[in-house]
PDB file of all heavy atoms in Angstrom:
ATOM      1  N   ARG A 320      98.759-108.101  47.534  1.00 91.00           N
ATOM      2  CA  ARG A 320      99.864-108.949  47.994  1.00 91.00           C
ATOM      3  C   ARG A 320     100.027-110.163  47.092  1.00 91.00           C
ATOM      4  O   ARG A 320     101.145-110.563  46.767  1.00 91.00           O
ATOM      5  CB  ARG A 320      99.624-109.386  49.443  1.00 91.00           C
ATOM      6  CG  ARG A 320     100.740-110.279  49.994  1.00 91.00           C
ATOM      7  CD  ARG A 320     100.475-110.636  51.437  1.00 91.00           C
ATOM      8  NE  ARG A 320     100.736-109.537  52.325  1.00 91.00           N
ATOM      9  CZ  ARG A 320     101.891-109.335  52.946  1.00 91.00           C
ATOM     10  NH1 ARG A 320     102.907-110.168  52.747  1.00 91.00           N
ATOM     11  NH2 ARG A 320     102.055-108.319  53.753  1.00 91.00           N
ATOM     12  N   GLY A 321      98.918-110.758  46.679  1.00 87.00           N
ATOM     13  CA  GLY A 321      98.995-111.907  45.797  1.00 87.00           C
ATOM     14  C   GLY A 321      99.642-111.571  44.466  1.00 87.00           C
ATOM     15  O   GLY A 321     100.424-112.351  43.919  1.00 87.00           O
ATOM     16  N   SER A 322      99.317-110.396  43.930  1.00 84.00           N
ATOM     17  CA  SER A 322      99.935-109.971  42.675  1.00 84.00           C
ATOM     18  C   SER A 322     101.427-109.755  42.859  1.00 84.00           C
ATOM     19  O   SER A 322     102.235-110.133  42.001  1.00 84.00           O
ATOM     20  CB  SER A 322      99.273-108.685  42.175  1.00 84.00           C
ATOM     21  OG  SER A 322      97.926-108.909  41.829  1.00 84.00           O
ATOM     22  N   ALA A 323     101.811-109.171  43.989  1.00 85.00           N
ATOM     23  CA  ALA A 323     103.230-108.945  44.262  1.00 85.00           C
ATOM     24  C   ALA A 323     103.973-110.272  44.399  1.00 85.00           C
ATOM     25  O   ALA A 323     105.147-110.383  44.035  1.00 85.00           O
ATOM     26  CB  ALA A 323     103.393-108.106  45.524  1.00 85.00           C
ATOM     27  N   GLU A 324     103.286-111.275  44.926  1.00 81.00           N
ATOM     28  CA  GLU A 324     103.894-112.603  45.090  1.00 81.00           C
ATOM     29  C   GLU A 324     103.756-113.444  43.825  1.00 81.00           C
ATOM     30  O   GLU A 324     104.184-114.597  43.793  1.00 81.00           O
ATOM     31  CB  GLU A 324     103.225-113.348  46.251  1.00 81.00           C
ATOM     32  CG  GLU A 324     103.420-112.693  47.597  1.00 81.00           C
ATOM     33  CD  GLU A 324     102.599-113.364  48.687  1.00 81.00           C
ATOM     34  OE1 GLU A 324     101.695-114.167  48.348  1.00 81.00           O
ATOM     35  OE2 GLU A 324     102.859-113.089  49.862  1.00 81.00           O
ATOM     36  N   GLN A 325     103.091-112.858  42.822  1.00 72.00           N
ATOM     37  CA  GLN A 325     102.812-113.568  41.575  1.00 72.00           C
ATOM     38  C   GLN A 325     101.928-114.785  41.828  1.00 72.00           C
ATOM     39  O   GLN A 325     101.971-115.765  41.085  1.00 72.00           O
ATOM     40  CB  GLN A 325     104.102-113.980  40.858  1.00 72.00           C
ATOM     41  CG  GLN A 325     104.957-112.794  40.458  1.00 72.00           C
ATOM     42  CD  GLN A 325     106.209-113.189  39.703  1.00 72.00           C
ATOM     43  OE1 GLN A 325     106.660-114.320  39.782  1.00 72.00           O
ATOM     44  NE2 GLN A 325     106.760-112.257  38.959  1.00 72.00           N
ATOM     45  N   ARG A 326     101.125-114.712  42.888  1.00 59.00           N
ATOM     46  CA  ARG A 326     100.162-115.771  43.181  1.00 59.00           C
ATOM     47  C   ARG A 326      98.925-115.603  42.314  1.00 59.00           C
ATOM     48  O   ARG A 326      98.302-116.560  41.892  1.00 59.00           O
ATOM     49  CB  ARG A 326      99.780-115.707  44.671  1.00 59.00           C
ATOM     50  CG  ARG A 326      98.579-116.567  45.088  1.00 59.00           C
ATOM     51  CD  ARG A 326      98.957-118.043  45.081  1.00 59.00           C
ATOM     52  NE  ARG A 326      97.930-118.832  45.721  1.00 59.00           N
ATOM     53  CZ  ARG A 326      96.849-119.296  45.114  1.00 59.00           C
ATOM     54  NH1 ARG A 326      96.649-119.063  43.843  1.00 59.00           N
ATOM     55  NH2 ARG A 326      95.955-120.018  45.766  1.00 59.00           N
ATOM     56  N   THR A 327      98.565-114.341  42.049  1.00 51.00           N
ATOM     57  CA  THR A 327      97.361-114.058  41.284  1.00 51.00           C
ATOM     58  C   THR A 327      97.610-112.886  40.361  1.00 51.00           C
ATOM     59  O   THR A 327      98.625-112.213  40.426  1.00 51.00           O
ATOM     60  CB  THR A 327      96.177-113.675  42.207  1.00 51.00           C
ATOM     61  OG1 THR A 327      96.464-112.407  42.817  1.00 51.00           O
ATOM     62  CG2 THR A 327      95.947-114.723  43.272  1.00 51.00           C
ATOM     63  N   VAL A 328      96.629-112.647  39.494  1.00 46.00           N
ATOM     64  CA  VAL A 328      96.558-111.399  38.751  1.00 46.00           C
ATOM     65  C   VAL A 328      95.261-110.732  39.161  1.00 46.00           C
ATOM     66  O   VAL A 328      94.403-111.357  39.767  1.00 46.00           O
ATOM     67  CB  VAL A 328      96.579-111.646  37.223  1.00 46.00           C
ATOM     68  CG1 VAL A 328      97.910-112.211  36.805  1.00 46.00           C
ATOM     69  CG2 VAL A 328      95.450-112.573  36.802  1.00 46.00           C
ATOM     70  N   PRO A 329      95.090-109.422  38.841  1.00 49.00           N
ATOM     71  CA  PRO A 329      93.857-108.746  39.263  1.00 49.00           C
ATOM     72  C   PRO A 329      92.611-109.496  38.835  1.00 49.00           C
ATOM     73  O   PRO A 329      92.524-110.004  37.708  1.00 49.00           O
ATOM     74  CB  PRO A 329      93.973-107.377  38.565  1.00 49.00           C
ATOM     75  CG  PRO A 329      95.441-107.157  38.434  1.00 49.00           C
ATOM     76  CD  PRO A 329      96.022-108.528  38.167  1.00 49.00           C
ATOM     77  N   TRP A 330      91.627-109.549  39.719  1.00 50.00           N
ATOM     78  CA  TRP A 330      90.401-110.319  39.505  1.00 50.00           C
ATOM     79  C   TRP A 330      89.738-109.974  38.178  1.00 50.00           C
ATOM     80  O   TRP A 330      89.355-110.844  37.407  1.00 50.00           O
ATOM     81  CB  TRP A 330      89.449-110.029  40.665  1.00 50.00           C
ATOM     82  CG  TRP A 330      88.135-110.731  40.587  1.00 50.00           C
ATOM     83  CD1 TRP A 330      87.012-110.340  39.938  1.00 50.00           C
ATOM     84  CD2 TRP A 330      87.804-111.987  41.195  1.00 50.00           C
ATOM     85  NE1 TRP A 330      86.011-111.244  40.104  1.00 50.00           N
ATOM     86  CE2 TRP A 330      86.459-112.259  40.869  1.00 50.00           C
ATOM     87  CE3 TRP A 330      88.519-112.889  41.981  1.00 50.00           C
ATOM     88  CZ2 TRP A 330      85.817-113.409  41.317  1.00 50.00           C
ATOM     89  CZ3 TRP A 330      87.871-114.031  42.428  1.00 50.00           C
ATOM     90  CH2 TRP A 330      86.532-114.278  42.089  1.00 50.00           C
ATOM     91  N   ALA A 331      89.619-108.697  37.881  1.00 49.00           N
ATOM     92  CA  ALA A 331      88.867-108.279  36.698  1.00 49.00           C
ATOM     93  C   ALA A 331      89.541-108.706  35.406  1.00 49.00           C
ATOM     94  O   ALA A 331      88.900-108.804  34.364  1.00 49.00           O
ATOM     95  CB  ALA A 331      88.679-106.766  36.714  1.00 49.00           C
ATOM     96  N   SER A 332      90.853-108.955  35.443  1.00 43.00           N
ATOM     97  CA  SER A 332      91.558-109.295  34.217  1.00 43.00           C
ATOM     98  C   SER A 332      91.544-110.786  33.918  1.00 43.00           C
ATOM     99  O   SER A 332      92.014-111.212  32.881  1.00 43.00           O
ATOM    100  CB  SER A 332      93.020-108.822  34.304  1.00 43.00           C
ATOM    101  OG  SER A 332      93.739-109.596  35.239  1.00 43.00           O
ATOM    102  N   LEU A 333      90.997-111.565  34.816  1.00 43.00           N
ATOM    103  CA  LEU A 333      90.968-113.006  34.605  1.00 43.00           C
ATOM    104  C   LEU A 333      89.847-113.383  33.646  1.00 43.00           C
ATOM    105  O   LEU A 333      88.702-112.982  33.821  1.00 43.00           O
ATOM    106  CB  LEU A 333      90.748-113.731  35.944  1.00 43.00           C
ATOM    107  CG  LEU A 333      91.935-113.685  36.905  1.00 43.00           C
ATOM    108  CD1 LEU A 333      91.508-114.220  38.257  1.00 43.00           C
ATOM    109  CD2 LEU A 333      93.101-114.490  36.367  1.00 43.00           C
ATOM    110  N   ALA A 334      90.174-114.153  32.639  1.00 43.00           N
ATOM    111  CA  ALA A 334      89.159-114.595  31.686  1.00 43.00           C
ATOM    112  C   ALA A 334      88.246-115.617  32.339  1.00 43.00           C
ATOM    113  O   ALA A 334      88.667-116.362  33.226  1.00 43.00           O
ATOM    114  CB  ALA A 334      89.828-115.207  30.469  1.00 43.00           C
TER     115      ALA A 334
END
Side-chain angles (χ1 to χ4, degrees):
R320 180 178 285 267
S322 294
E324 296 173 347
Q325 298 182 339
R326 168 72 169 85
T327 68
V328 294
W330 179 274
S332 70
L333 289 170

